[in-house]
Amino acid sequence: MIELYILLIFMIIGAIIAIQVKDLLSSVVAVGAVGLGLSIVFLILKAPDVAITQLVVEILALIILIRATLKKDLPFSPTGRWFLNTLIAIVFVGTFLTVACKAITDLPQFGYPAMRVAKIYLEKGLPMTGATNLVSSVILDFRAYDTLGEATVLFTAVIGVLTLVRKVGRKKEGKTIKEEDE
Amino acid sequence: MSHEHGKGMSIIVKTITRFTVGLIFLYGIYIVLHGHVSPGGGFAGGVIIALSFVHLMLAYGKEAALKKLSKRATSILESTGAMLFLLIALLGFTGGYFFLNFINKGEPFKLFSAGIIPLCNIAIALKVGAGLFAIFVALVLLDLDSEKKE
Amino acid sequence: MIIYFLCLVLFAIGLYCVLRKRNIIKIIVGIIISEYAANLFFILTAYRIGGRAPIFQEGVDITNMVDPLPHALVLTAIVIGLATTALLVAIAMRIYEKYGTFDITKIRELNG
């Protein structure tokens, strides 16, 4: 399990670099490193489906973020109340960490999960659905309502993006903007 | 630079893209169709299919990619995926309840098995792939628009 | 238990970034890091020592598998995370187009 600790420490260092570096493009690339490390962690933790999805989603998220930050670098200007803001943020994060550390002692020991629901899936998954990939049978047969809700959220997000970036109805005088049919 | 180099990236990137983009697309289809026997499934396969079109757009410019899959086609495909998923769910009422696995389960470890799960995978892959490509196209077009205005 | 603590530290870094930074892209980066930490926490709770991936194999009798339920939950959460990230980026680019900056304090001044 030592490689798990090494990868997690790598991810933490990458996250610190991502939030502290001043160049926006470097920050986005550091987030990409964190995501790819997370993909390897999923593979070590025996979750190949999640690892594949995380890998490809990370690449697409990186492309979208780079597209947003390209040629838009701004100088970092810390003005006013620097000390007060940092103090408030650190107090908040410290409170969160203290409470969360008390909370994780109630969890089952790492490596020994409480599998009350999953026991039924493991025993009856193959005869009931016929799918040999248990994750696939859980998301599309036992818990398909969850996937339906996910599809609804994705549809709403796509409609939101298409509404935010549309060009119809944003004409300015003196300019002729080519309108594309949406 | 000749006019062939005008849009998109350099000739090296274009040549490599011509070889790889079909392979990426086929790999996405493989991941979707084998989602119930091996790791993968509709979500990962859909994102890979979207990435193949994004790859085409990054290398060849937006006209070449939009000629293959226009903006209207992405909208139609995404709606088709959502409707197909809901239709499969509603067809379960023929046997009793919502999301009933009403098709014969078949033999495990074969491609044609597991009832509705491969069909649902295809529907989800259509939805995710078309939706994410639509998001990407919208963001790229917005970016070009705002840069032109400055 | 230490591995849960490292996961919480990753979440706390993202939380600090959301609270402290003033650049909108940095805030989106913080949200993404927090999301990664939450997904990692779910997968960590599912792991079993010496377990196998939840996929049956032909002719092999599998006795100890990891928990497949958190995998299914996280699989949908990752794709939703990508869609919401794209929505945030679209809003940020609209703000940049209107105000010409990503700094949220400047935006407030211009609005007032």
mmCIF file of all heavy atoms in Angstrom, chain C residues 9-28:
data_model
loop_
_atom_site.group_PDB
_atom_site.id
_atom_site.type_symbol
_atom_site.label_atom_id
_atom_site.label_comp_id
_atom_site.label_asym_id
_atom_site.label_seq_id
_atom_site.Cartn_x
_atom_site.Cartn_y
_atom_site.Cartn_z
ATOM 1 N N VAL C 9 -7.126 16.153 3.638
ATOM 2 C CA VAL C 9 -6.218 17.276 3.399
ATOM 3 C C VAL C 9 -6.387 17.787 1.977
ATOM 4 O O VAL C 9 -6.428 18.996 1.731
ATOM 5 C CB VAL C 9 -4.761 16.842 3.675
ATOM 6 C CG1 VAL C 9 -3.787 17.872 3.153
ATOM 7 C CG2 VAL C 9 -4.548 16.657 5.154
ATOM 8 N N LEU C 10 -6.540 16.848 1.022
ATOM 9 C CA LEU C 10 -6.765 17.256 -0.367
ATOM 10 C C LEU C 10 -8.052 18.066 -0.489
ATOM 11 O O LEU C 10 -8.103 19.095 -1.171
ATOM 12 C CB LEU C 10 -6.824 16.018 -1.250
ATOM 13 C CG LEU C 10 -6.721 16.225 -2.739
ATOM 14 C CD1 LEU C 10 -5.389 16.817 -3.082
ATOM 15 C CD2 LEU C 10 -6.916 14.936 -3.472
ATOM 16 N N PHE C 11 -9.105 17.612 0.216
ATOM 17 C CA PHE C 11 -10.369 18.358 0.190
ATOM 18 C C PHE C 11 -10.173 19.747 0.791
ATOM 19 O O PHE C 11 -10.704 20.738 0.279
ATOM 20 C CB PHE C 11 -11.436 17.589 0.962
ATOM 21 C CG PHE C 11 -12.806 18.162 0.834
ATOM 22 C CD1 PHE C 11 -13.621 17.785 -0.208
ATOM 23 C CD2 PHE C 11 -13.273 19.081 1.739
ATOM 24 C CE1 PHE C 11 -14.878 18.318 -0.346
ATOM 25 C CE2 PHE C 11 -14.529 19.625 1.609
ATOM 26 C CZ PHE C 11 -15.330 19.232 0.569
ATOM 27 N N ALA C 12 -9.396 19.816 1.894
ATOM 28 C CA ALA C 12 -9.199 21.096 2.567
ATOM 29 C C ALA C 12 -8.432 22.070 1.699
ATOM 30 O O ALA C 12 -8.694 23.279 1.730
ATOM 31 C CB ALA C 12 -8.472 20.871 3.891
ATOM 32 N N ILE C 13 -7.500 21.554 0.882
ATOM 33 C CA ILE C 13 -6.775 22.444 -0.040
ATOM 34 C C ILE C 13 -7.735 23.070 -1.043
ATOM 35 O O ILE C 13 -7.695 24.279 -1.296
ATOM 36 C CB ILE C 13 -5.658 21.657 -0.752
ATOM 37 C CG1 ILE C 13 -4.558 21.303 0.235
ATOM 38 C CG2 ILE C 13 -5.068 22.457 -1.879
ATOM 39 C CD1 ILE C 13 -3.555 20.353 -0.321
ATOM 40 N N GLY C 14 -8.629 22.255 -1.573
ATOM 41 C CA GLY C 14 -9.620 22.793 -2.500
ATOM 42 C C GLY C 14 -10.535 23.803 -1.839
ATOM 43 O O GLY C 14 -10.868 24.840 -2.421
ATOM 44 N N LEU C 15 -10.911 23.520 -0.584
ATOM 45 C CA LEU C 15 -11.795 24.428 0.159
ATOM 46 C C LEU C 15 -11.114 25.765 0.412
ATOM 47 O O LEU C 15 -11.717 26.831 0.235
ATOM 48 C CB LEU C 15 -12.181 23.760 1.474
ATOM 49 C CG LEU C 15 -13.359 24.302 2.242
ATOM 50 C CD1 LEU C 15 -14.599 24.127 1.418
ATOM 51 C CD2 LEU C 15 -13.499 23.570 3.537
ATOM 52 N N TYR C 16 -9.821 25.699 0.781
ATOM 53 C CA TYR C 16 -9.056 26.923 1.010
ATOM 54 C C TYR C 16 -8.970 27.748 -0.267
ATOM 55 O O TYR C 16 -9.117 28.978 -0.234
ATOM 56 C CB TYR C 16 -7.662 26.553 1.510
ATOM 57 C CG TYR C 16 -6.711 27.713 1.603
ATOM 58 C CD1 TYR C 16 -6.758 28.582 2.683
ATOM 59 C CD2 TYR C 16 -5.774 27.949 0.606
ATOM 60 C CE1 TYR C 16 -5.903 29.648 2.765
ATOM 61 C CE2 TYR C 16 -4.915 29.012 0.676
ATOM 62 C CZ TYR C 16 -4.979 29.857 1.751
ATOM 63 O OH TYR C 16 -4.142 30.926 1.827
ATOM 64 N N CYS C 17 -8.777 27.058 -1.389
ATOM 65 C CA CYS C 17 -8.684 27.768 -2.665
ATOM 66 C C CYS C 17 -9.985 28.482 -2.986
ATOM 67 O O CYS C 17 -9.991 29.627 -3.425
ATOM 68 C CB CYS C 17 -8.321 26.777 -3.758
ATOM 69 S SG CYS C 17 -8.023 27.503 -5.337
ATOM 70 N N VAL C 18 -11.121 27.807 -2.740
ATOM 71 C CA VAL C 18 -12.412 28.444 -3.014
ATOM 72 C C VAL C 18 -12.624 29.646 -2.108
ATOM 73 O O VAL C 18 -13.141 30.685 -2.516
ATOM 74 C CB VAL C 18 -13.548 27.413 -2.845
ATOM 75 C CG1 VAL C 18 -14.891 28.073 -2.937
ATOM 76 C CG2 VAL C 18 -13.428 26.340 -3.882
ATOM 77 N N LEU C 19 -12.190 29.531 -0.844
ATOM 78 C CA LEU C 19 -12.452 30.617 0.095
ATOM 79 C C LEU C 19 -11.542 31.810 -0.119
ATOM 80 O O LEU C 19 -11.957 32.949 0.057
ATOM 81 C CB LEU C 19 -12.251 30.108 1.532
ATOM 82 C CG LEU C 19 -13.319 29.199 2.086
ATOM 83 C CD1 LEU C 19 -12.875 28.649 3.407
ATOM 84 C CD2 LEU C 19 -14.601 29.967 2.270
ATOM 85 N N ARG C 20 -10.291 31.565 -0.486
ATOM 86 C CA ARG C 20 -9.291 32.615 -0.400
ATOM 87 C C ARG C 20 -9.005 33.307 -1.731
ATOM 88 O O ARG C 20 -8.820 34.519 -1.754
ATOM 89 C CB ARG C 20 -8.008 31.978 0.150
ATOM 90 C CG ARG C 20 -6.834 32.887 0.299
ATOM 91 C CD ARG C 20 -7.111 33.944 1.355
ATOM 92 N NE ARG C 20 -6.035 34.924 1.388
ATOM 93 C CZ ARG C 20 -5.985 36.004 0.598
ATOM 94 N NH1 ARG C 20 -6.929 36.212 -0.272
ATOM 95 N NH2 ARG C 20 -4.992 36.859 0.696
ATOM 96 N N LYS C 21 -9.021 32.537 -2.836
ATOM 97 C CA LYS C 21 -8.564 33.121 -4.097
ATOM 98 C C LYS C 21 -9.615 34.053 -4.673
ATOM 99 O O LYS C 21 -10.821 33.878 -4.436
ATOM 100 C CB LYS C 21 -8.235 32.015 -5.092
ATOM 101 C CG LYS C 21 -7.137 31.117 -4.646
ATOM 102 C CD LYS C 21 -5.832 31.860 -4.590
ATOM 103 C CE LYS C 21 -4.787 30.993 -3.914
ATOM 104 N NZ LYS C 21 -3.530 31.687 -3.735
ATOM 105 N N ARG C 22 -9.135 34.992 -5.481
ATOM 106 C CA ARG C 22 -10.069 35.953 -6.058
ATOM 107 C C ARG C 22 -10.225 35.806 -7.560
ATOM 108 O O ARG C 22 -11.082 36.438 -8.156
ATOM 109 C CB ARG C 22 -9.596 37.358 -5.728
ATOM 110 C CG ARG C 22 -9.845 37.710 -4.289
ATOM 111 C CD ARG C 22 -9.929 39.174 -4.151
ATOM 112 N NE ARG C 22 -8.676 39.781 -4.555
ATOM 113 C CZ ARG C 22 -7.772 40.227 -3.715
ATOM 114 N NH1 ARG C 22 -8.000 40.156 -2.445
ATOM 115 N NH2 ARG C 22 -6.670 40.758 -4.127
ATOM 116 N N ASN C 23 -9.396 34.983 -8.162
ATOM 117 C CA ASN C 23 -9.513 34.771 -9.597
ATOM 118 C C ASN C 23 -10.572 33.690 -9.853
ATOM 119 O O ASN C 23 -10.608 32.671 -9.176
ATOM 120 C CB ASN C 23 -8.158 34.310 -10.127
ATOM 121 C CG ASN C 23 -8.067 34.408 -11.606
ATOM 122 O OD1 ASN C 23 -9.056 34.164 -12.288
ATOM 123 N ND2 ASN C 23 -6.922 34.758 -12.123
ATOM 124 N N ILE C 24 -11.447 33.910 -10.822
ATOM 125 C CA ILE C 24 -12.545 32.966 -11.025
ATOM 126 C C ILE C 24 -12.027 31.614 -11.488
ATOM 127 O O ILE C 24 -12.520 30.568 -11.063
ATOM 128 C CB ILE C 24 -13.554 33.550 -12.030
ATOM 129 C CG1 ILE C 24 -14.224 34.773 -11.436
ATOM 130 C CG2 ILE C 24 -14.623 32.541 -12.355
ATOM 131 C CD1 ILE C 24 -15.178 35.414 -12.368
ATOM 132 N N ILE C 25 -11.001 31.609 -12.339
ATOM 133 C CA ILE C 25 -10.441 30.336 -12.805
ATOM 134 C C ILE C 25 -9.826 29.573 -11.627
ATOM 135 O O ILE C 25 -9.952 28.345 -11.523
ATOM 136 C CB ILE C 25 -9.397 30.599 -13.907
ATOM 137 C CG1 ILE C 25 -10.056 31.247 -15.114
ATOM 138 C CG2 ILE C 25 -8.743 29.310 -14.336
ATOM 139 C CD1 ILE C 25 -10.995 30.349 -15.846
ATOM 140 N N LYS C 26 -9.212 30.302 -10.695
ATOM 141 C CA LYS C 26 -8.652 29.637 -9.507
ATOM 142 C C LYS C 26 -9.764 29.029 -8.666
ATOM 143 O O LYS C 26 -9.615 27.953 -8.088
ATOM 144 C CB LYS C 26 -7.852 30.644 -8.670
ATOM 145 C CG LYS C 26 -6.468 30.888 -9.187
ATOM 146 C CD LYS C 26 -5.602 29.691 -8.937
ATOM 147 C CE LYS C 26 -4.208 29.868 -9.484
ATOM 148 N NZ LYS C 26 -3.444 30.872 -8.771
ATOM 149 N N ILE C 27 -10.911 29.705 -8.580
ATOM 150 C CA ILE C 27 -12.030 29.161 -7.820
ATOM 151 C C ILE C 27 -12.541 27.885 -8.478
ATOM 152 O O ILE C 27 -12.850 26.897 -7.803
ATOM 153 C CB ILE C 27 -13.143 30.223 -7.682
ATOM 154 C CG1 ILE C 27 -12.666 31.348 -6.774
ATOM 155 C CG2 ILE C 27 -14.409 29.614 -7.117
ATOM 156 C CD1 ILE C 27 -13.624 32.476 -6.686
ATOM 157 N N ILE C 28 -12.596 27.885 -9.815
ATOM 158 C CA ILE C 28 -13.024 26.668 -10.522
ATOM 159 C C ILE C 28 -12.036 25.539 -10.259
ATOM 160 O O ILE C 28 -12.431 24.382 -10.034
ATOM 161 C CB ILE C 28 -13.176 26.968 -12.030
ATOM 162 C CG1 ILE C 28 -14.305 27.949 -12.267
ATOM 163 C CG2 ILE C 28 -13.442 25.700 -12.804
ATOM 164 C CD1 ILE C 28 -14.435 28.392 -13.687
#
